[in-house]
Amino acid sequence: MTRPLAAAERFVAGLPQEARAGLQVIYAPLMQIRLIQAQISLGRMKGVIFTSANGVEAASRETAARLPAFCVGERTAKAAAEAGWQAVSLGQCADELVERMLQQPPEAPLLHLRGAHARGGIARRLTDGGIPCRAQTVYDQVLLSLSEEAQAVLSAQKDVIVPLFSPRTASHFASQCGDAAHLHLIALSQAVAEPLKSLNCKVLRVSKEPDAQAMAEAVFDAAAQLSRLEGKGRAE
């Protein structure tokens, strides 16, 4: 698991029990979330945009105001609601959020509270579409090296399932993983899969939907397939 540790542990906890029972889980975060202390001015704002629960946590620590919050993903919306924001989920990715907001414009201006490394150009696209919006960085995503345990597992040339959730993490993983011939890579989206295509991996599959549930199903399918192959090998 290459996600930040808390997110990785939540993901593993959400896997079907039969999948977890047959897997050895290696936690090897390639990214660490660091909240940035910054004054958040919401005086003129009519709402905020959150594209991750990290943004919710950072913003909720820095301001007591609670405005309408337009979120990417149900988990982000749930975190925002629990923190007191008037939260609604508007799709599973930046493109869906922008499309829905342009179809039904909310009161503006808006503030996108985001990480230092973000894709989608949400604030610019909304502003260009007639909804004034600006972005403010409230946390950083610091890249980490693979742990010694992960390096040992990857170099053992045994089948390893690696779920990857962001293009930046996927690119970072690709630069560190070495020989990928035994890897079963599962990408959250086509954008995440792109930097992995240069690897000579055993399997590269893209999640049916860009969310945790679909990724969990893909991991379960990959684990079941490996289990069947191992059983066949023992029978032969």
Side-chain angles (χ1 to χ4, degrees):
M1 292 300 303
T2 61
R3 302 188 84 184
L5 185 58
E9 290 175 338
R10 282 195 302 269
F11 180 78
V12 171
L15 291 172
Q17 186 172 358
E18 56 269 36
R20 279 183 283 160
L23 291 176
Q24 175 192 4
V25 180
I26 306 296
Y27 292 101
L30 288 179
M31 183 182 292
Q32 181 181 42
I33 301 301
R34 293 183 185 173
L35 304 187
I36 297 173
Q37 282 192 316
Q39 183 176 0
I40 299 174
S41 178
L42 297 177
R44 295 179 52 251
M45 298 299 159
K46 300 299 184 181
V48 297
I49 295 172
F50 292 125
T51 42
S52 77
N54 298 315
V56 174
E57 180 183 359
S60 299
R61 287 176 52 168
E62 296 298 328
T63 179
R66 294 295 185 263
L67 300 176
F70 307 97
C71 305
V72 170
E74 293 294 339
R75 185 181 173 277
T76 302
K78 181 180 179 182
E82 290 175 349
W85 301 87
Q86 303 164 44
V88 59
S89 173
L90 294 180
Q92 296 298 323
C93 63
D95 288 344
E96 291 183 6
L97 177 135
V98 169
E99 181 180 355
R100 295 187 186 185
M101 295 186 77
L102 291 176
Q103 289 174 348
Q104 292 186 306
E107 288 189 77
L110 305 175
L111 180 63
H112 180 196
L113 297 163
R114 44 159 276 188
H117 303 274
R119 293 168 53 88
I122 289 174
R124 173 185 54 76
R125 291 164 65 187
L126 289 177
T127 299
D128 290 347
I131 303 173
C133 181
R134 66 179 180 87
Q136 180 174 349
T137 299
V138 292
Y139 65 93
D140 195 5
Q141 308 104 308
V142 181
L143 293 178
L144 306 173
S145 298
L146 280 168
S147 66
E148 291 184 3
E149 183 182 18
Q151 290 179 36
V153 168
L154 292 173
S155 63
Q157 297 298 306
K158 295 182 179 179
D159 288 294
V160 181
I161 300 169
V162 186
L164 292 155
F165 292 79
S166 77
R168 188 163 175 254
T169 302
S171 179
H172 189 48
F173 176 79
S175 71
Q176 296 195 62
C177 69
D179 182 8
H182 55 297
L183 300 184
H184 299 249
L185 305 180
I186 303 173
L188 180 71
S189 66
Q190 289 291 347
V192 177
E194 194 60 36
L196 303 172
K197 291 178 179 178
S198 61
L199 296 175
N200 183 32
C201 62
K202 195 167 188 176
V203 176
L204 172 58
R205 70 174 72 184
V206 178
S207 176
K208 293 179 180 178
E209 297 292 337
D211 58 37
Q213 181 178 344
M215 286 289 284
E217 292 173 357
V219 169
F220 176 72
D221 289 345
Q225 182 179 14
L226 286 179
S227 179
R228 288 193 297 270
L229 291 175
E230 290 174 0
K232 182 180 178 181
R234 286 193 294 267
E236 294 174 346

